Amino acid sequence: NDTSKISHSEEEWKEMLTPARYEALRKNATERPFSGKYYLYNEKGIYCCSGCGNNLFTSAMKFKSNCGWPSFDDVIKGERIKTKFDHSFGSLRTEVSCSKCDSHLGYLFDDGPTSTHKRYSINSVCLDFRKINTRRK
């Protein structure tokens, strides 16, 4: 549950990340819809920031949105993400970033089907997954 900030120069980020992750996490790029690794992924576990490992979402928070990107209706408790208004492309959207490393993750919309009415639409390339071992000893 470490929430200490992580800071790297852009050159360090370029060395640490794949080109696709660098473009999405540091340059706010968006992967093509329906192309991401976690769009239809259904394992039980934790989705974390691929830039720093910050735990962001659980598989229980994920839902099928048919929007082309993994979608979640809530965030793991604590200050995991930060949001800001994005006025690019002539529309108003809410950008979602990792609170630990300031990396872009995706966007938040208020059209989710659950009681939270939230849809965190997140680029798969911005996520890593940690499977939860459900076997009993």
Side-chain angles (χ1 to χ4, degrees):
N1 209 16
D2 177 20
T3 57
S4 58
K5 294 287 279 181
I6 291 176
S7 180
H8 298 291
S9 70
E10 286 308 303
E11 285 305 313
E12 289 171 322
W13 281 116
K14 281 182 184 178
E15 290 177 21
M16 295 169 49
L17 301 170
T18 66
R21 283 186 170 177
Y22 178 78
E23 286 299 313
L25 291 166
R26 306 308 303 168
K27 298 297 181 184
N28 298 12
T30 300
E31 65 192 0
R32 288 186 340 268
F34 308 102
S35 68
K37 176 179 182 176
Y38 297 118
Y39 174 61
L40 297 175
Y41 198 76
N42 291 314
E43 296 291 325
K44 297 203 182 312
I46 305 289
Y47 293 88
C48 56
C49 174
S50 63
C52 70
N54 187 18
N55 293 337
L56 302 169
F57 309 99
T58 69
S59 53
M61 298 167 176
K62 189 171 188 279
F63 65 92
K64 186 176 180 180
S65 67
N66 297 318
C67 72
W69 295 273
S71 296
F72 305 87
D73 69 350
D74 207 353
V75 179
I76 293 174
K77 299 301 175 223
E79 307 230 346
R80 306 288 177 169
I81 64 153
K82 59 185 184 175
T83 60
K84 73 175 182 180
F85 291 119
D86 174 8
H87 299 278
S88 62
F89 300 108
S91 64
L92 179 62
R93 301 182 291 181
T94 302
E95 179 186 0
V96 177
S97 299
C98 175
S99 64
K100 191 169 182 176
C101 70
D102 295 326
S103 289
H104 171 80
L105 301 169
Y107 293 94
L108 170 62
F109 302 95
D110 292 321
D111 61 3
T114 69
S115 62
T116 68
H117 302 290
K118 303 290 184 198
R119 176 172 53 94
Y120 293 87
S121 182
I122 308 297
N123 291 296
S124 286
V125 73
C126 298
L127 298 172
D128 279 327
F129 183 80
R130 294 188 187 121
K131 191 171 182 175
I132 294 175
N133 186 352
T134 57
R135 287 191 293 166
R136 294 184 156 204
K137 293 182 179 181

